[in-house]
Amino acid sequence: QVQLVESGGGLVQAGGSLRLSCAASTRTFTDYIIGWFRQAPTKEREFVAAINWSGYDTYYADSVKGRFTISRDNTKNTVYLQMNSLKLEDTAVYYCAASRMSYAQYNYWGQGTQVTVSS
């Protein structure tokens, strides 16, 4: 069982930056791929970024490539999502998720953190 807690969300103006954190409670943090997802009102949840156990392999949705950076600190059981040049369309609830097996199926989810980008 893995518990995930997101933090760092908030209100920011367009063009600004936020850093989200995802803290995991597990002794085997390096067993897990960690992904970030988001869900905007009236829209389906969508993939944002993912990172493998070592941090060397990262993947991004086209919509955030070049603006967002995912990283992890295995000594702190934490994954980060640095979000720069934020746009109105980045407004959503952001969730982190953990998977032992693949980038396609995640077994554990956090409760989410709200990110609101204003004009």
Side-chain angles (χ1 to χ4, degrees), residues 57-92:
D57 291 336
T58 58
Y59 303 90
Y60 297 93
D62 287 344
S63 59
V64 306
K65 207 170 290 184
R67 300 188 298 122
F68 291 11
T69 303
I70 189 171
S71 62
R72 67 191 293 161
D73 184 340
N74 288 335
T75 67
K76 296 182 179 179
N77 279 20
T78 301
V79 170
Y80 303 99
L81 185 68
Q82 178 67 45
M83 306 187 296
N84 298 329
S85 302
L86 283 161
K87 303 177 180 180
L88 296 179
E89 52 264 42
D90 294 319
T91 295

Side-chain angles (χ1 to χ4, degrees), residues 24-67:
S25 63
T26 172
R27 293 185 178 182
T28 58
F29 185 59
T30 54
D31 285 354
Y32 293 92
I33 292 165
I34 303 294
W36 282 99
F37 295 79
R38 66 187 182 187
Q39 187 167 19
T42 73
K43 293 189 177 180
E44 297 205 351
R45 186 172 59 198
E46 64 174 357
F47 168 78
V48 175
I51 190 166
N52 77 329
W53 72 272
S54 68
Y56 285 111
D57 291 336
T58 58
Y59 303 90
Y60 297 93
D62 287 344
S63 59
V64 306
K65 207 170 290 184
R67 300 188 298 122

